[in-house]
């Protein structure tokens, strides 16, 4: 697999949200607007990339038996670092995302990549893998957040297109499930049309 | 009265799955049969109840006196991982019957974000020990309620014919959306 | 085995501790900037720096702060940083601006953890809820929701948040009255 493919597979073919179905909680919980979804995605991407690199770095030192606890410690440390940095430099975004920032620790994408990829590959490859999956996550969350914001508030990235309130339900809890469900229908339909042989 | 509000709020109004979006993975993953969802619900209730007490004690007797509140995330996740392991070992020894019923779900619980989420939330909400425990158990019961209801819906859904591109997760998500709408009706309660 | 785990934990803790030390100041600065920004939003024009001489007072187990805005030595208004613990998501912190005659000028939310789409409408950017307080004097405007016999129109489906908001505003008013006396 070429270096580029390593990065690009996370975007669509192995998109963590639409294909691998990982990291559902922040996907549904933080995507009330495009900007929130993107912020959450970027925070997760940072943790994913850094933890992937760190784990690839220590992969030969760590005994197999204490592998998982070690990974968790590394991931939790990076999450705390991101948490502190966000508090310092983007306090408003930190306040909106709330409890979901510390919960990056239990995002299955991160431990999943650590276990499946970073523990077996070089630092550089792991970084590319983390970056690819991370960008895929950012994309998915931004699309979901954007759709919900557009329907629910009539705006996109805070810019208003429609006067009035929009359909509030899309910003509320049921809208998260519904928009995600229909986006997946769309995703399935498109990927079925793009490679008809796969099915 | 205060405790009553905590209970109602955690089970219905701020249901952990349908309005807080925590524990979505097990909600979608282990909800295909009513019987398994009850088992999972009970295991989660057990672990969340226990971890809330331990998390409370660690927060106020270790982290705060040492002024290292910022280590919360790291400490809590390790704590939960260790706790789940311990529960598994103890359960195996003293109550094989209970282990039979809950055992398979226990390893899944470490990565259940509801456990860590509740631990962080109860610190954020500045609850005392009893309030924390009440909040934790009722949150878990809310999880179980959503899970069991949803499993019932899914058992029916399996018998229906579905459009091809809606098969699998999409139709499940849309069903969840309708269930979440029903739960919104509780929001005027408190 | 245990040594490696211990070592990794130590290195990680040290790294986190370091980042904490480095970010402690920007975090405090970000909070400060938010406060002086909020003062400017809630009181009419002033030419002093109200954040310089705050008056703090402990009320109901929390700390409240009163900032005085003056122009040419004359009091233009007061900004009261107030709180309530009755919010749906716990504590809500508000900055309430009062004119010298005791009527409310503007209110800004400093910190809230209310439900998005429901309780967070107390924020001016999300709904017009807070506008109904402007220009009203708590002396003849009863600060509680209509359900409780007051004059405030609660946010639909967010009675708790609305009640909490009123509670915070009322606490600010009461503190200001005792200070003025």
């Amino acid at each position: 697999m070429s270096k580029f493919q390593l990065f690009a597979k996370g975007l669509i073919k192995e998109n963590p949200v639409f294909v691998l179905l990982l990291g559902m909680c922040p996907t549904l919980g933080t995507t009330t607007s495009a900007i929130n979804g993107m912020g959450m995605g970027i925070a997760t991407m940072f943790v994913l990339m850094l933890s992937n690199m760190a784990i690839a770095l220590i992969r030969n030192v760590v005994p197999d038996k204490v592998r998982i606890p070690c990974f968790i410690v590394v991931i939790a440390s990076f999450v705390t670092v991101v948490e502190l940095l966000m508090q310092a430099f983007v306090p408003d975004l930190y306040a909106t995302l709330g409890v979901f920032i510390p919960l990056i620790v239990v995002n299955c994408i991160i431990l999943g990549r650590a276990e499946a990829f970073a523990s077996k590959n070089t630092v550089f490859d792991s970084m590319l893998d983390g970056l690819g999956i991370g960008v895929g996550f950012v994309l998915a969350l931004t699309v979901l957040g954007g759709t919900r914001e557009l329907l629910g508030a009539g705006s996109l990235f805070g810019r208003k297109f429609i006067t009035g309130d929009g359909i509030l339900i899309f910003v509320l809890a049921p809208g998260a499930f519904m928009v995600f469900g229909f986006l997946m229908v769309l995703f399935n339909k498109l990927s079925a049309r793009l490679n008809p042989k796969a099915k | 009265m205060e405790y009553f509000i905590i209970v109602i709020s955690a089970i219905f109004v701020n249901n952990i799955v349908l309005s807080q979006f925590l524990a979505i993975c097990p909600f979608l993953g282990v909800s295909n049969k009513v019987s398994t969802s009850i088992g999972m619900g009970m295991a989660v209730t057990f672990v969340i109840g226990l971890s809330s007490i331990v998390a409370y004690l660690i927060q106020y007797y270790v982290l705060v006196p040492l002024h290292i509140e910022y280590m919360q995330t790291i400490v809590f996740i390790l704590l939960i991982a260790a706790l789940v392991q311990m529960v598994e070992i103890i359960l195996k020894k003293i109550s094989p019957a209970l282990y039979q019923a809950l055992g398979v779900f226990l390893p899944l619980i470490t990565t259940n974000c509801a456990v860590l989420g509740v631990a962080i939330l109860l610190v954020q909400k500045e609850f005392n020990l009893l309030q924390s425990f009440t909040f934790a158990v009722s949150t878990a019961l809310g999880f179980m309620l959503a899970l069991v209801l949803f499993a019932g819906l899914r058992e029916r859904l399996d018998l229906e014919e579905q459009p091809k591109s809606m098969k699998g997760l999409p139709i499940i998500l849309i069903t969840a959306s309708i269930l979440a709408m029903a739960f919104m009706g509780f929001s005027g309660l408190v | 085995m245990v040594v490696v785990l211990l070592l990794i934990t130590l290195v990680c803790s040290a790294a986190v501790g370091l980042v904490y030390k480095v970010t402690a100041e920007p975090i405090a600065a970000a909070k400060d900037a938010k406060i002086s920004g909020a003062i400017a939003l809630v009181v009419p024009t002033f030419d002093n720096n109200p954040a310089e001489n705050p008056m703090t007072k402990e009320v109901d187990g929390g700390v409240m702060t009163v900032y005085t805005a003056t122009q040419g030595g004359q009091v233009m208004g007061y900004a009261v940083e107030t709180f309530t613990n009755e919010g749906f998501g716990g504590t809500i912190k508000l900055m309430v601006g009062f004119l010298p005659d005791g009527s409310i000028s503007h209110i800004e939310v400093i910190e809230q953890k209310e439900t998005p789409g429901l309780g967070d409408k107390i924020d001016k950017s999300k709904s017009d809820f807070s506008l109904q307080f402007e220009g009203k004097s708590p002396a003849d405007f009863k600060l509680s929701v209509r359900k409780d016999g007051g004059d405030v129109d609660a946010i639909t489906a967010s009675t708790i948040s609305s009640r909490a908001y009123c509670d915070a505003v009322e606490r600010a008013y009461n503190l200001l009255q005792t200070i003025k006396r």
Side-chain angles (χ1 to χ4, degrees):
Chain A
M1 202 188 277
S2 79
K3 299 282 179 213
F4 179 72
Q5 275 173 317
L6 213 53
F7 164 75
K9 72 174 189 306
L11 300 187
I12 295 189
K13 219 174 87 202
E14 282 184 35
N15 188 293
V17 176
F18 287 115
V19 181
L20 304 180
L21 308 177
L22 294 174
M24 290 291 124
C25 299
T27 303
L28 294 168
T30 62
T31 50
T32 48
S33 72
I35 203 82
N36 288 353
M38 205 160 140
M40 184 68 208
I42 291 173
T44 311
M45 185 179 81
F46 265 110
V47 175
L48 180 59
M49 216 169 76
L50 293 173
S51 68
N52 249 9
M53 284 162 75
I55 283 160
L57 199 69
I58 58 168
R59 70 182 193 280
N60 295 324
V61 201
V62 178
D64 214 37
K65 271 200 173 150
V66 291
R67 190 176 79 239
I68 300 289
C70 284
F71 293 172
I72 292 180
V73 171
V74 170
I75 294 167
S77 308
F78 281 121
V79 170
T80 311
V81 167
V82 167
E83 206 181 333
L84 290 169
L85 289 176
M86 285 183 74
Q87 262 178 49
F89 301 110
V90 277
D92 289 339
L93 187 63
Y94 177 79
T96 358
L97 298 179
V99 72
F100 285 100
I101 294 293
L103 286 181
I104 295 177
V105 180
V106 278
N107 190 325
C108 342
I109 298 176
I110 296 176
L111 195 61
R113 288 329 283 178
E115 175 76 352
F117 195 93
S119 61
K120 297 184 194 82
N121 287 283
T122 62
V123 176
F124 186 67
D125 284 359
S126 304
M127 188 199 78
L128 282 179
D129 177 76
L131 190 67
I133 300 276
V135 172
F137 192 63
V138 174
L139 274 180
L141 258 63
T142 313
V143 168
L144 191 55
T147 317
R148 285 179 67 189
E149 194 186 343
L150 199 63
L151 292 169
S155 59
L156 200 57
F157 287 103
R159 224 160 295 145
K160 223 157 167 44
F161 292 114
I162 311 163
T163 47
D165 262 352
I167 312 160
L168 191 63
I169 190 112
F170 285 107
V171 187
L172 298 179
F177 289 107
M178 188 179 292
V179 171
F180 188 41
F182 279 110
L183 279 179
M184 275 198 69
V185 173
L186 208 67
F187 195 89
N188 285 350
K189 198 98 192 158
L190 282 179
S191 52
R193 189 159 300 170
L194 285 177
N195 16 309
K197 270 177 241 153
K199 285 273 155 86
Chain B
M1 191 59 203
E2 187 190 354
Y3 289 94
F4 182 69
I5 287 180
I6 293 179
V7 171
I8 296 292
S9 150
I11 296 183
F12 298 108
V13 184
N14 278 344
N15 186 285
I16 184 127
V17 181
L18 297 169
S19 81
Q20 304 276 314
F21 297 114
L22 299 178
I24 301 282
C25 295
F27 176 67
L28 298 174
V30 235
S31 60
N32 34 16
K33 280 223 178 65
V34 173
S35 53
T36 45
S37 66
I38 292 178
M40 182 69 179
M42 281 178 10
V44 168
T45 312
F46 192 65
V47 172
I48 287 192
L50 215 62
S51 73
S52 70
I53 296 176
V54 185
Y56 179 88
L57 295 176
I58 295 261
Q59 172 76 18
Y60 291 106
Y61 292 98
V62 180
L63 296 184
V64 173
L66 292 176
H67 296 291
I68 48 168
E69 289 98 331
Y70 62 93
M71 296 288 275
Q72 196 194 48
T73 315
I74 304 180
V75 173
F76 279 9
I77 184 71
L78 288 176
L79 181 90
I80 289 164
L83 195 74
V84 171
Q85 285 277 309
M86 231 166 64
V87 168
E88 201 176 343
I89 295 168
I90 294 174
L91 223 54
K92 212 187 230 168
K93 279 262 156 58
I94 58 169
S95 171
L98 200 61
Y99 180 76
Q100 280 278 306
L102 306 183
V104 281
F105 304 106
L106 283 174
L108 291 172
I109 290 177
T110 315
T111 50
N112 184 332
C113 47
V115 184
L116 182 61
V118 166
I120 294 172
L121 281 175
L122 63 89
V123 171
Q124 235 174 46
K125 289 179 187 260
E126 291 168 2
F127 283 151
N128 65 31
L129 184 58
L130 194 57
Q131 283 171 330
S132 302
F133 185 68
T134 316
F135 173 72
V137 170
S138 16
T139 303
L141 288 177
F143 170 72
M144 190 159 142
L145 176 71
L147 198 64
V148 173
L149 278 178
F150 197 54
L153 287 176
R154 278 185 69 176
E155 277 185 0
R156 286 284 187 97
L157 201 64
D158 282 344
L159 304 173
E160 300 295 325
E161 215 166 299
Q162 299 154 14
K164 199 166 143 219
S165 46
M166 281 217 181
K167 271 208 180 106
L169 202 62
I171 191 74
I172 293 171
L173 282 167
I174 292 161
T175 314
S177 160
I178 296 167
L179 190 59
M181 266 183 227
F183 268 74
M184 268 181 72
F186 291 119
S187 58
L189 268 185
V190 283
Chain C
M1 192 166 89
V2 180
V3 179
V4 176
L5 184 57
L6 204 69
L7 218 64
I8 288 176
T9 317
L10 273 180
V11 171
C12 287
S13 314
V16 171
L18 191 75
V19 175
Y20 176 74
K21 280 261 159 17
V22 174
T23 52
E25 215 163 284
I27 289 176
K31 278 194 183 135
D32 271 1
K34 197 151 190 196
I35 286 178
S36 40
I39 295 174
L41 285 174
V42 297
V43 290
T45 46
F46 52 87
D47 59 7
N48 68 331
N49 180 6
E52 249 173 14
N53 48 354
M55 215 184 308
T56 53
K57 197 161 186 197
E58 211 162 300
V59 185
D60 300 337
V63 180
M64 288 174 60
T65 319
V66 180
Y67 305 92
T68 313
T70 59
Q71 184 151 19
Q74 203 185 346
V75 175
M76 297 304 289
Y78 305 93
V80 184
E81 193 191 331
T82 178
F83 70 97
T84 176
N85 293 322
E86 314 284 302
F88 205 83
T91 308
I92 300 175
K93 284 187 180 158
L94 302 177
M95 184 70 85
V96 186
F98 290 98
L99 297 176
D101 67 358
S103 63
I104 297 167
S105 138
H106 294 284
I107 306 176
E108 281 292 320
V109 174
I110 300 180
E111 196 183 302
Q112 54 94 5
K113 299 187 192 94
E114 302 304 285
T115 324
L118 290 170
D120 74 342
K121 286 191 181 159
I122 55 171
D123 203 322
K124 204 174 274 177
S125 63
K126 303 265 164 59
S127 90
D128 292 343
F129 170 73
S130 71
L131 299 183
Q132 63 179 308
F133 294 87
E134 291 178 4
K136 305 275 169 48
S137 172
D140 51 22
F141 182 78
K142 201 154 176 273
L143 280 170
S144 54
V145 298
R146 284 194 198 281
K147 216 189 246 180
D148 303 339
D151 291 324
V152 176
D153 290 313
I155 299 165
T156 315
S158 304
T159 312
I160 295 217
S161 304
S162 311
R163 266 186 200 139
Y165 194 88
C166 295
D167 177 54
V169 175
E170 183 148 34
R171 186 164 294 137
Y173 180 71
N174 291 341
L175 177 71
L176 196 64
Q177 290 313 102
T178 54
I179 283 178
K180 272 193 182 165
R181 235 177 266 141

